[in-house]
Amino acid sequence: ARERRATMLLDRLGVADLSDSYPKELSGGEMRRVSIARALMNGPKLLILDEPTRGLNADDEVTVFAALAKLAHTGDPKHCVIVLTASREIAEAADTLFEI
């Protein structure tokens, strides 16, 4: 069950094909997406992410944010996802926005 969950998370973040790779074989963006999958593995009820899409290209940024939004809205159980970001696009897509 844990292996299926890990594969599902890696697939959702677009890096399932890299599951047999070593960290030194991954790009910075791939490492960031694998790290997010790792953070989601145990199903935390609260996830706080600081600039989770920094350094990602536009397509990967959309993939990561879609995965986080899906987790927040349809997770079992639903999760609280707090994202600290300077990206106006990501901030405007949030359900609730706090500006500092």
Side-chain angles (χ1 to χ4, degrees):
R2 292 181 62 78
E3 191 171 325
R4 279 194 310 269
R5 178 163 173 75
T7 301
M8 180 270 303
L9 289 168
L10 291 171
D11 185 54
R12 189 179 292 171
L13 291 162
V15 289
D17 58 323
L18 303 172
S19 63
D20 292 328
S21 300
Y22 290 98
K24 66 181 179 184
E25 300 171 333
L26 303 177
S27 71
E30 291 166 342
M31 280 193 267
R32 185 171 297 276
R33 290 182 284 153
V34 169
S35 295
I36 292 169
R38 187 177 60 230
L40 298 174
M41 186 61 194
N42 291 322
K45 293 179 182 174
L46 172 64
L47 191 62
I48 301 173
L49 302 162
D50 183 11
E51 294 288 352
T53 59
R54 180 181 50 233
L56 298 180
N57 64 39
D59 290 338
D60 291 342
E61 187 175 282
V62 169
T63 298
V64 167
F65 193 73
L68 294 173
K70 184 173 184 174
L71 174 74
H73 295 120
T74 63
D76 183 25
K78 290 186 180 180
H79 299 74
C80 178
V81 180
I82 298 173
V83 177
L84 305 163
T85 186
S87 169
R88 179 55 62 190
E89 295 81 18
I90 290 176
E92 289 176 352
D95 293 333
T96 304
L97 176 63
F98 296 97
E99 289 189 71
I100 298 176

